[in-house]
Amino acid sequence: MVDSGNSYGERVSRLVGWGHWFAFFNIIAAMLIGTRYIVASPWPETLLGQFYLLTSWIGHFGFLVFALYLLILFPLTFVTPARKLFRLFAVIFATCGQTILIIDTQAYQSISLHLSPVVWELLFSKDDSLVSTDLQHLFVMMPPIFLAQIGLSEWVWRQQRKLSHKHIGRPVTAVFFLCFIASHLIFIWADAYFYNPVTVQKANFPLSYPMTAKSFMEKHGLLDREEYLKKLEQNEFVTDLIDYPLSEITFNRRSESLNVLLVNINNLRADTLNEATMPNSYQFAQQNQNFLNHYSSSNDSYGAFGLMYGIPNSYSSSIKAQGDAPIFLSTLFKQGYSFHLYSGDNFDNDLYRETIFKPFPMVDLSNIEATEIDDDLAIEQWQQAITLTPKAPWFSYIELTTMDNFDTYQSTNAQVPAQEQFIQAYSSAAAAADKEFGKIISTLDEQGLLERTIVILTSNHGTEFNETNTRSWGSNSNYSQYQLKVPMVIHWPGKLAATYSHKTSHLDLSVTIMQDLSGVSTNSKQYSSGRNLFDESKRKWVIAGDARELAVITDTETTVVDKFGNYSLYDINYKKQKDKSPKLPILMQGFTELQRFYAKSQ
């Protein structure tokens, strides 16, 4: 077809018309590629959820491709009216866009992530990993895509007048526009009324940011604020469903009839368990199994979640929504164990009442006549309970909270620098907690229970004294060893005293109890992200973090990745490494662990 238009206006008009049709067929191509996101995502169970998926698929890719055309290609129509140069640029741009989209679909299918700084690092990594190899191989799609775009460009140019005469442009545009508007209106409603089959789809497609309008709805009487806040409280942690455990638990032998006592001294960093500060705990460690290289699963109170459930803390919201108990506690309960659960602050942290111990009877210390609720009262009540317990085995959990409020031990001497006061107060609180632990061990010894009881001493997280020189005091501010390393000491009747230096994690405890006490034969991968504490084979990494961040800790470095895929790399002393890249195969294994328990269908 010969272009007879010679004036600038005629050439621009012709290129604008061509550009619209070229963008339309690229929208269709993007939608076809985008079906890979639908295949990789759980299929909505409700009709509205399915309708939203359809409208968002059509509307999102229609908007995304056409918006890129308007932002990039349309202005160039006026700057570069020469048709061959403009069309060549459009073909190159479309080829790059379609290739990136294909790579993004592969990343989403492989590791449930859209393209981000971490995925780009993986893409160009020299590490010979299966994921990076798969992504890099997708670049071979560029030549055939380029040729297809050239063919499409020429065909649209030749058929432009025929396409215009069919008068389908406006109806098709209306469909895309209506689907785009409908999908956002549905999401606005679903977000306001916590309709999970829709809200769970918000990250299915790349660059997808569904609208919310709670303030607008409230202003116009479409949303009752009080009712919304009530629902927000009820649905705060509603999220994706998980399969926990992934398969049925099976047994290869009868369980041992040993009691289990888990003592959690909150806020206790590993090196505080020394002879000078905590003599009772230190002696206990020397006489039993002491794990010197042990990491909590979090730098805050959610370390208790990883300890009890054996899976990363990112699953905590799903666990709370589903009401699942820790699998090792459920197993003990089914095996006839009685439960005795005590806390020095009466389980003030909702994590216990609403998640970990929700199905089990916790002792309410507020119902007991006492001058105050503290660790001593919790220990006294526990002492009374075990003396009245029949010969049937029991599980006890004692949370010692003295070190949560170590500032009460702070010196008033103005001559002592504030930093030194902080450390001294912490040590004084640790010494007080050590005396409380000594009472517990003495009780077991006096009652003749020590040789029939597995005793576990640990903590939910550590505490930093600004060793990283980042003005970090306390916890929940970084993932250094000072905030993550905690004691793990076990007295296990029949096992010899030993010191272990291999890397262990809070996620390992449930596996150890399930395998060595309860006689479980099911592969630990089916119910935990950890492994047996006594497995001394080399371990490449352990993980910590929460729903916002993932920390992957190796022998030489720590990589912290946020939910947007931005990462930071630190050395063994938690000094930031600006010119190094993380070991991406290990990082991808960590990401896989964060996705493994999510249900395949919803």
Side-chain angles (χ1 to χ4, degrees):
M1 185 176 196
V2 180
D3 181 10
S4 60
N6 296 315
S7 70
Y8 172 83
E10 289 175 331
R11 291 198 302 270
V12 168
S13 177
R14 181 76 185 277
L15 287 176
V16 168
W18 173 88
H20 281 72
W21 285 108
F22 185 73
F24 167 73
F25 287 109
N26 271 280
I27 289 173
I28 301 301
M31 288 174 58
L32 293 175
I33 296 172
T35 56
R36 300 188 76 196
Y37 297 112
I38 298 175
V39 172
S41 302
W43 182 254
E45 292 184 350
T46 66
L47 186 61
L48 181 58
Q50 296 165 8
F51 180 73
Y52 172 78
L53 178 61
L54 176 65
T55 55
S56 62
W57 171 60
I58 297 172
H60 179 70
F61 286 105
F63 171 80
L64 184 63
V65 175
F66 194 68
L68 289 173
Y69 164 74
L70 288 179
L71 291 173
I72 307 297
L73 296 182
F74 183 70
L76 290 177
T77 307
F78 303 93
V79 178
T80 314
R83 70 177 180 87
K84 290 185 178 180
L85 181 60
F86 175 78
R87 285 170 54 191
L88 176 63
F89 182 82
V91 164
I92 294 173
F93 181 75
T95 300
C96 293
Q98 300 287 8
T99 304
I100 291 173
L101 183 61
I102 291 174
I103 293 173
D104 188 80
T105 62
Q106 184 65 28
Y108 187 77
Q109 288 190 336
S110 301
I111 54 178
S112 298
L113 290 175
H114 293 294
L115 289 179
S116 65
V118 167
V119 179
W120 279 115
E121 284 285 344
L122 177 65
L123 189 62
F124 298 106
S125 170
K126 296 179 181 179
D127 294 322
D128 188 20
S129 70
L130 182 62
V131 176
S132 61
T133 301
D134 286 345
L135 292 178
Q136 291 168 6
H137 283 169
L138 291 176
F139 280 108
V140 303
M141 298 294 293
M142 289 194 77
I145 292 175
F146 180 74
L147 292 176
Q149 291 289 348
I150 289 178
L152 175 64
S153 168
E154 184 63 25
W155 182 81
V156 170
W157 185 261
R158 293 180 179 275
Q159 300 296 320
Q160 184 176 346
R161 290 183 179 176
K162 289 183 179 180
L163 290 170
S164 299
H165 290 157
K166 292 182 182 295
H167 302 291
I168 62 172
R170 290 184 179 180
V172 168
T173 301
V175 170
F176 284 122
F177 178 76
L178 290 174
C179 285
F180 178 78
I181 295 299
S183 65
H184 282 275
L185 289 177
I186 292 171
F187 192 90
I188 287 172
W189 173 84
D191 177 66
Y193 290 93
F194 302 96
Y195 190 70
N196 198 51
V198 168
T199 57
V200 76
Q201 300 182 49
K202 64 181 179 182
N204 279 9
F205 301 127
L207 300 176
S208 177
Y209 306 100
M211 292 176 60
T212 59
K214 291 185 284 289
S215 298
F216 176 84
M217 294 175 69
E218 181 186 348
K219 182 179 179 181
H220 291 81
L222 300 175
L223 179 66
D224 184 278
R225 181 174 179 80
E226 292 185 4
E227 183 180 351
Y228 171 78
L229 292 175
K230 186 183 296 183
K231 287 184 178 180
L232 177 63
E233 185 177 352
Q234 295 171 349
N235 294 274
E236 182 181 1
F237 294 97
V238 171
T239 182
D240 298 346
L241 299 179
I242 67 170
D243 291 326
Y244 174 79
L246 292 171
S247 66
E248 184 180 354
I249 301 299
T250 57
F251 303 84
N252 60 0
R253 61 177 174 82
R254 294 184 62 182
S255 64
E256 297 185 66
S257 296
L258 294 176
N259 306 314
V260 180
L261 168 61
L262 177 50
V263 181
N264 182 35
I265 302 178
N266 286 354
N267 206 21
L268 177 61
R269 56 187 267 167
D271 58 5
T272 304
L273 201 158
N274 57 67
E275 188 173 13
T277 307
M278 305 183 72
N280 295 312
S281 304
Y282 179 79
Q283 183 180 9
F284 178 76
Q286 296 303 302
Q287 296 174 349
N288 294 288
Q289 297 87 47
N290 187 12
F291 298 85
L292 299 177
N293 196 17
H294 186 81
Y295 288 81
S296 174
S297 57
S298 180
N299 58 7
D300 60 16
S301 61
Y302 270 75
F305 176 89
L307 180 70
M308 304 302 284
Y309 281 92
I311 57 178
N313 298 324
S314 58
Y315 293 112
S316 61
S317 57
S318 297
I319 286 287
K320 179 181 177 181
Q322 295 176 203
D324 293 330
I327 192 66
F328 92 89
L329 292 186
S330 297
T331 302
L332 293 179
F333 186 79
K334 291 176 182 177
Q335 292 177 335
Y337 278 69
S338 60
F339 280 62
H340 308 286
L341 313 174
Y342 300 87
S343 170
D345 63 6
N346 204 30
F347 291 114
D348 184 60
N349 192 328
D350 290 339
L351 172 64
Y352 290 103
R353 295 189 178 277
E354 298 179 1
T355 307
I356 297 176
F357 294 142
K358 185 178 180 180
F360 306 111
M362 291 172 286
V363 176
D364 188 353
L365 297 180
S366 64
N367 295 330
I368 299 168
E369 292 185 6
T371 54
E372 63 177 330
I373 296 175
D374 56 13
D375 288 350
D376 286 333
L377 179 61
I379 293 171
E380 288 174 9
Q381 295 302 308
W382 171 79
Q383 290 170 331
Q384 295 177 21
I386 63 167
T387 58
L388 300 174
T389 300
K391 292 186 178 180
W394 46 259
F395 170 83
S396 291
Y397 181 89
I398 304 177
E399 182 190 32
L400 301 181
T401 60
T402 295
M403 297 186 66
D404 281 338
N405 304 305
F406 67 87
D407 56 328
T408 59
Y409 292 84
Q410 192 158 339
S411 171
T412 57
N413 187 353
Q415 303 299 320
V416 179
Q419 178 175 343
E420 189 62 31
Q421 287 186 26
F422 183 89
I423 297 174
Q424 288 180 2
Y426 184 84
S427 297
S428 297
D434 180 67
K435 292 179 180 178
E436 294 161 352
F437 180 71
K439 293 179 185 177
I440 295 172
I441 298 301
S442 295
T443 300
L444 292 174
D445 194 24
E446 292 167 2
Q447 296 291 327
L449 293 171
L450 202 53
E451 294 311 310
R452 291 193 289 118
T453 304
I454 297 171
V455 183
I456 303 156
L457 172 63
T458 189
S459 181
N460 54 359
H461 61 81
T463 295
E464 183 181 348
F465 304 140
N466 196 32
E467 286 93 345
T468 58
N469 295 316
T470 56
R471 297 181 180 179
S472 294
W473 297 87
S475 59
N476 198 24
S477 56
N478 63 50
Y479 293 96
S480 66
Q481 60 178 318
Y482 311 105
Q483 297 190 33
L484 288 180
K485 269 195 172 182
V486 296
M488 174 56 75
V489 183
I490 300 179
H491 165 75
W492 198 301
K495 292 184 185 289
L496 296 175
T499 298
Y500 298 93
S501 58
H502 64 285
K503 190 182 274 86
T504 57
S505 165
H506 265 14
L507 306 183
D508 302 338
L509 179 65
S510 62
V511 175
T512 309
I513 298 294
M514 295 278 279
Q515 292 180 344
D516 294 0
L517 175 66
S518 298
V520 169
S521 59
T522 304
N523 190 308
S524 62
K525 290 291 184 183
Q526 299 300 305
Y527 57 86
S528 175
S529 297
R531 68 183 193 184
N532 197 300
L533 284 164
F534 297 102
D535 180 357
E536 297 184 66
S537 59
K538 184 173 177 56
R539 191 176 203 161
K540 292 183 178 180
W541 50 269
V542 294
I543 57 177
D546 52 28
R548 297 173 292 110
E549 294 177 316
L550 167 69
V552 181
I553 302 105
T554 69
D555 290 336
T556 58
E557 61 191 23
T558 297
T559 306
V560 180
V561 187
D562 66 21
K563 62 182 180 180
F564 302 107
N566 303 304
Y567 70 85
S568 299
L569 185 66
Y570 303 88
D571 65 13
I572 190 65
N573 297 312
Y574 214 73
K575 303 298 181 185
K576 194 167 186 178
Q577 306 295 292
K578 297 181 179 180
D579 300 325
K580 291 183 64 178
S581 297
K583 296 178 179 178
L584 290 162
I586 292 177
L587 196 57
M588 289 304 103
Q589 292 174 33
F591 276 125
T592 299
E593 208 54 49
L594 299 186
Q595 300 292 329
R596 199 162 57 84
F597 286 91
Y598 283 116
K600 301 305 180 184
S601 62
Q602 297 183 21

